[in-house]
Amino acid sequence: MAFDYVASYDAVEAQLAMNTPPSRILHELSAFGQENEPHEDWQKMSGIPINAEPDAFTEWLQQLLTREHPTAEVVVLWFGLFNPVDDAGRVSMGLYVAGSNSEDPYESGVEDYWVEGRYFTSQVLDTIYQAAYESENGLGNNAEYMLGLGYASSLVKYASQRLGVLLAIGGAESRKIVVGFDNGDSIDIGSVTSEGFQPVKTAK
């Protein structure tokens, strides 16, 4: 059975609409994965510890935006998923924040807000990636796509709900919050104005 990426994307959106927290998102999405493409590794993915990473991410983002805030022209905060490679050649999955003056960051790029401290080191994303590719017959991109996108999106939503208007720092009237893969799919998390953060309430 071929993995259904459209259905897995819809599953991520559905979990976000239900406000599933980072502490539960891997469990829920792994259960969906097991139901739609049975594999022994989904159970391992379900048990990846989250610990205090959501709060650490929220604190990191708060400090970064306060120290190096976007200009008022930045209308999208982009939280990008990518695959960093260290000096030893070890590949991982990472997350960074950037920004665009355009409503379409895929077309215009996200270098309008591009600061040195933009990278967040996520132990959870790294663990997902290593578990996905540790064996030749592992889940591979199926897990990287659904669990990476799902966890990162729930992480960003968690932080957005707590930081609120800070996400519009720099004078933006409205700023969209988007999570996505570089050169891949993305999900709108919500938007922030002077009244605070407003999440996307329903899946498409």
Side-chain angles (χ1 to χ4, degrees), residues 168-187:
I169 193 170
E173 292 184 4
S174 179
R175 189 172 281 157
K176 286 176 58 178
I177 311 299
V178 182
V179 177
F181 291 99
D182 288 355
N183 302 313
D185 289 340
S186 64
I187 289 184

Side-chain angles (χ1 to χ4, degrees), residues 46-58:
S46 177
I48 291 174
I50 305 303
N51 298 322
E53 186 164 283
D55 291 325
F57 174 76
T58 302

Side-chain angles (χ1 to χ4, degrees), residues 188-201:
D188 290 347
I189 304 301
S191 61
V192 62
T193 67
S194 60
E195 296 182 357
F197 172 71
Q198 298 295 324
V200 173
K201 298 184 184 302

